[in-house]
């Protein structure tokens, strides 16, 4: 057991509780709790966007997929994930910011009505199970590794969840953005230092890159067949556009002090994430030179342990502290944001309809309670799903929003002809076709289920909007007439 290192990691996690308590003292209403009062400067929007995206899958999942395959295997993340933030900044941020909404579900209500709001919000909430569970799984792995197996993965998950949960409940989005700023600094410094040491131990950067080239790890395009290209495109769009209608992305847009900051923060954050995501991949390729026998065995049995094993067995103590500090920072920044997002959506877009008399003070209390309930649900899901690769847990999470929520959002913003009937048809057809292709293996093996669902969703929107209207709604189609949330600024 690496007692000193384990103690330092726990102290680091406890230190974030102080930030949560301090941020909690500044919470006055649901706007402060959910979107930091719409007052973040550019640097904070960039750091919280970067830190939220840079999670357990970036440090542990992506490098494992990369060295076991090639860049083609990670087209979904980091390539698709980073482009999601860029697309949000270029095509969605300013339009949504001007509407002064609290959640992405508010947009669906104002544009299409309550039924679409509840349907899309439910899909968004469900999509977070896999993503947050991946972070909780990684926390369990960290405690297990540092304790030498004395702490089981399940117990590690419980400890990590409790520590993250407390500061999110206390400080909300304010706690998240302040800790994200600190955690991004720890991430960049820690992983950059580790990459420098790894390069030296491996004989230089050129030797590492030469090995990657020799193993054809830089291959990114699929085989020249229709089927391979379809699955390649399906993987690329899963996070690239499936993450666009997510509440955590929306919260970063709405937390900015103005529309320009929202746009620039998302674009810079996305490009920064893409650039720095290659650092863990470089370190793992270095490990193939530094510890060839151990790496070969781990890549076959548990590739997610390659990087932690390299750090613990071949790096000085200071480097170990920096690495696990960076890893915990990555996990915490993502898990905190993704605990807050679905809980906010549930209270604002579902509970408010069930309990319309709630005032802002009770809504804030309900958000905190829902965070606790969602955290317990995710913890249970993570323990039950133990053994599932972190990368796979994350990638599967976004398919449901890709097929159910993206088309109503994009068409609602850019096509005046989009109707409530079209949105409902889009959701029903998209999710329905996706489920069929997912549950019938023979179909899913021939055509990617998420791409089939997206095509059905688009057709449902167009046909449902152009056919005679049986579902009536009178949404505001102009930005200027969108309702402003009562706690907005």
């Amino acid at each position: 057991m690496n007692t000193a290192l384990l103690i330092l990691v726990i102290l680091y996690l406890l230190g974030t509780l102080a930030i949560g308590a301090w941020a909690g003292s500044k919470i006055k209403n649901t706007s402060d709790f959910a979107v930091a009062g719409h007052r973040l400067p550019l640097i904070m929007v960039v750091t919280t966007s970067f830190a939220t995206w840079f999670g357990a899958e970036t440090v542990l999942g992506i490098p494992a997929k990369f060295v076991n395959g090639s860049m083609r295997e990670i087209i979904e993340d980091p390539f698709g994930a980073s482009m999601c933030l860029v697309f949000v900044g270029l095509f969605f941020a300013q339009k949504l910011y001007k509407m002064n909404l609290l959640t992405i579900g508010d947009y669906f209500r104002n544009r299409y009505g309550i039924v679409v709001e509840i349907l899309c919000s439910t899909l968004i909430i469900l999509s977070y199970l896999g993503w947050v569970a991946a972070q909780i799984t990684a926390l369990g792995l960290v405690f297990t590794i540092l304790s030498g197996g004395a702490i089981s993965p399940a117990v590690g998950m419980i400890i990590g969840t409790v520590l993250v949960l407390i500061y999110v409940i206390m400080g909300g989005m304010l706690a998240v953005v302040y800790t994200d700023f600190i955690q991004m600094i720890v991430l960049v410094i820690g992983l950059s230092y580790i990459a420098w040491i790894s390069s030296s131990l491996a004989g230089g950067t050129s030797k590492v890159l030469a090995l990657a080239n020799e193993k054809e790890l830089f291959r990114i395009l699929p085989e020249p067949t229709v089927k391979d290209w379809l699955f390649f495109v399906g993987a690329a769009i899963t996070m690239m556009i499936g993450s666009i209608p997510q509440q955590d992305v929306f919260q970063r847009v709405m937390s900015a002090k103005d529309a320009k900051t929202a746009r620039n923060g998302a674009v810079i954050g996305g490009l920064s994430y893409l650039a720095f995501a290659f650092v863990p991949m470089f370190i793992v390729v270095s490990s193939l030179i530094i510890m060839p026998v151990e790496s070969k065995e781990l890549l076959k049995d548990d590739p997610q342990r390659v990087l932690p094993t390299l750090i613990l067995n071949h790096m000085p103590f200071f480097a170990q502290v920096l690495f696990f500090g960076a890893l915990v920072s990555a996990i915490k920044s993502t898990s905190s944001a993704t605990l807050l997002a679905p809980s906010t959506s549930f209270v604002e877009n579902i509970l408010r309809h069930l309990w319309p008399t709630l005032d802002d003070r009770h809504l804030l209390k309900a958000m905190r309670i829902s965070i606790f309930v969602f955290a317990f649900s995710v913890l249970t899901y993570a323990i039950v799903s133990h053994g599932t690769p972190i990368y796979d847990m994350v990638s599967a999470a976004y398919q449901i929003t890709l097929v159910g929520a993206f088309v109503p959002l994009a068409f609602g913003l850019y096509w005046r002809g989009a109707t409530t009937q079209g949105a409902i048809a889009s959701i029903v057809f998209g999710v329905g076709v996706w489920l069929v292709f997912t549950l019938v293996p023979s179909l899913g093996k021939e055509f990617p289920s998420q791409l089939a669902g997206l095509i059905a969703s688009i057709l449902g929107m167009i046909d449902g909007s152009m056919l005679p209207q049986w579902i009536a709604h009178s949404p505001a189609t102009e930005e200027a007439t969108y309702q402003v949330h009562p706690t907005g600024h």
Side-chain angles (χ1 to χ4, degrees), residues 123-139:
L123 295 177
I124 290 168
I125 292 169
L126 289 174
S127 72
Y128 280 102
L129 276 174
W131 196 13
V132 187
Q135 313 311 314
I136 299 303
T137 299
L139 276 174

Side-chain angles (χ1 to χ4, degrees), residues 321-377:
V321 172
L322 282 179
F323 171 76
F324 283 98
L327 177 57
V328 171
S329 293
I331 296 169
K332 278 182 66 279
S333 61
T334 301
S335 57
S336 59
T338 48
L339 276 178
L340 179 63
S343 305
T344 305
S345 291
F346 171 74
V347 172
E348 173 67 10
N349 303 115
I350 296 178
L351 185 63
R352 276 169 64 97
H353 298 298
L354 300 175
W355 200 347
T357 58
L358 282 176
D359 58 20
D360 193 72
R361 182 172 65 87
H362 287 94
L363 280 173
L364 180 57
K365 183 178 180 181
M367 284 182 183
R368 286 181 162 130
I369 294 173
S370 66
I371 290 172
F372 177 83
V373 173
F374 187 76
F376 176 79
S377 302

Side-chain angles (χ1 to χ4, degrees), residues 67 69-70 210-219 285 288:
V67 295
S70 67
L211 177 62
N213 188 57
E214 179 186 329
K215 290 182 171 292
E216 299 185 330
L217 297 182
F218 295 128
R219 288 180 303 154
V285 175
L288 301 178

Side-chain angles (χ1 to χ4, degrees), residues 143-331:
F143 282 110
T144 299
I145 291 173
L146 292 182
S147 67
I151 299 176
S152 68
V155 173
M157 291 180 200
I158 293 171
I159 295 172
T161 301
V162 170
L163 292 173
V164 173
L165 178 63
I166 292 173
Y167 95 91
V168 176
I169 287 179
M170 287 191 299
M173 187 64 182
L174 281 174
V176 170
V177 297
Y178 287 130
T179 53
D180 279 355
F181 181 75
I182 296 170
Q183 286 162 178
M184 182 181 143
I185 295 173
V186 174
L187 267 172
V188 172
I189 294 176
L191 289 179
S192 296
Y193 179 68
I194 296 296
W196 178 67
I197 294 180
S198 299
S199 177
S200 299
L201 292 175
T205 301
S206 59
K207 191 172 181 179
V208 177
L209 295 178
L211 177 62
N213 188 57
E214 179 186 329
K215 290 182 171 292
E216 299 185 330
L217 297 182
F218 295 128
R219 288 180 303 154
I220 191 168
L221 295 180
E223 298 298 325
T225 67
V226 173
K227 183 178 178 179
D228 285 331
W229 268 99
L230 285 173
F231 278 88
F232 179 78
V233 171
I237 64 173
T238 298
M239 289 187 72
M240 187 182 297
I241 61 178
S243 299
I244 289 176
Q246 290 285 12
Q247 174 63 17
D248 63 292
V249 175
F250 177 84
Q251 281 176 301
R252 272 128 199 85
V253 170
M254 295 304 293
S255 297
K257 64 179 182 179
D258 54 47
K260 183 179 178 181
T261 300
R263 179 197 65 199
N264 294 342
V267 172
I268 297 171
L271 294 176
S272 300
Y273 171 68
L274 177 61
F276 205 73
F278 284 97
V279 175
M281 288 186 264
F282 176 86
I283 298 172
V284 171
V285 175
S286 300
S287 72
L288 301 178
I289 301 173
I290 300 169
M291 49 175 209
V293 177
E294 291 173 284
S295 296
K296 184 178 179 179
E297 293 177 355
L298 288 170
L299 287 173
K300 182 175 63 176
D301 300 326
D302 192 356
Q304 293 171 165
R305 286 179 175 260
V306 173
L307 196 47
T309 301
L310 170 68
I311 303 302
L312 288 175
N313 295 347
H314 299 274
M315 298 279 176
F317 182 74
F318 179 66
Q320 294 175 15
V321 172
L322 282 179
F323 171 76
F324 283 98
L327 177 57
V328 171
S329 293
I331 296 169

